[in-house]
């Protein structure tokens, strides 16, 4: 008789322990609702990592000349609308963007900014090189300044490379500029910005 009541007590004790454990797990799940867009140290780490990768890509492209050759594509600055929407331009720099970000499910925009003097002072003109959409709240960005000289040669895309033409900037009427300053060997200084975010 004593053994049977002790068995019932153990069963009741196990049932209560299981109920308490289940209730605590349920409570914990309701308190911490984690979504893919929840801000956390890990998402901040990912943003920092993406910004570093974008900066490294811009620096590498500037060092090997592919960034400048892409900026000097003769078709880019003629329109102020976004030029490419499905990925990078058909150049070595565009291929670097696609390989680094596109294949990992990361969207990117590339904008080119130039300062143009006007009657009101100075205006910041934007030329959209790549526009894959509106960046999320957790987007990261990197930028690099590129100096264009009067004797830089315009390029045109052929396959995945930018091929030089016979036209230099000093013989172009306007390229990223509405008005040029005569006698200055520097054509303009451009800011290239890459914005990346997870799709």
């Amino acid at each position: 008789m004593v053994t049977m009541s002790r068995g019932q007590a153990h069963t009741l004790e196990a049932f209560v322990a299981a109920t308490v454990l289940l209730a605590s797990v349920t409570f914990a799940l309701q308190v911490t609702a984690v979504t893919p867009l929840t801000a956390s140290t890990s998402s901040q780490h990912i943003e920092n990592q993406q910004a570093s990768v974008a900066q490294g890509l811009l620096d590498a492209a500037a060092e090997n000349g592919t960034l400048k050759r892409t900026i000097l594509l003769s078709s880019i600055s003629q329109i102020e609308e976004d030029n490419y929407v499905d990925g990078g331009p058909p150049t070595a720099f565009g291929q670097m963007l696609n390989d680094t970000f596109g294949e990992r499910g990361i969207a990117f925009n590339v904008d080119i900014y130039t300062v143009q003097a006007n009657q009101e002072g100075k205006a910041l003109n934007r030329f959209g090189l790549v526009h894959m959409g509106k960046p999320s709240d957790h987007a990261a960005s990197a930028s690099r300044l590129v100096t264009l000289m009067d004797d830089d040669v315009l390029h045109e895309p052929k396959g995945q490379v930018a091929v030089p033409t016979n036209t230099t900037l000093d013989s172009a009427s306007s390229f990223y500029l509405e008005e040029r300053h005569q006698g200055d060997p520097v054509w303009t200084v451009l800011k290239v910005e890459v914005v990346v975010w997870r799709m």
Side-chain angles (χ1 to χ4, degrees), residues 60-71:
E63 288 298 319
N64 65 25
T66 58
L67 179 60
K68 191 170 190 177
R69 286 193 292 273
T70 299
I71 291 171

Side-chain angles (χ1 to χ4, degrees), residues 75-188:
S75 60
I76 287 177
S77 72
Q78 304 306 315
I79 55 173
E80 292 193 24
E81 298 174 1
D82 301 309
N83 288 274
Y84 300 97
V85 295
D86 294 329
T91 64
F93 174 61
Q95 192 60 48
M96 289 171 70
L97 287 166
N98 293 336
D99 292 345
T100 305
F101 299 118
E103 293 182 2
R104 293 173 33 200
I106 298 172
F108 56 90
N109 290 344
V110 181
D111 293 316
I112 301 170
Y113 295 96
T114 184
V115 176
Q116 177 70 47
N118 59 21
Q119 294 176 345
E120 293 81 30
K122 292 189 174 182
L124 195 65
N125 296 330
R126 173 193 164 271
F127 299 92
L129 178 60
V130 180
H131 185 78
M132 294 181 70
K134 183 179 178 184
S136 71
D137 293 338
H138 301 288
S141 66
S143 62
R144 172 99 185 192
L145 294 178
V146 178
T147 303
L148 298 183
M149 306 300 287
D150 283 351
D151 57 355
D152 284 335
V153 178
L154 296 179
H155 288 64
E156 59 185 25
K158 285 198 176 173
Q160 289 298 315
V161 294
V163 178
T165 64
N166 294 325
T167 307
T168 57
L169 284 177
D170 61 357
S171 61
S173 58
S174 65
F175 193 78
Y176 292 112
L177 296 174
E178 296 170 7
E179 182 181 341
R180 57 178 294 210
H181 301 287
Q182 299 293 336
D184 188 351
V186 175
W187 183 264
T188 189

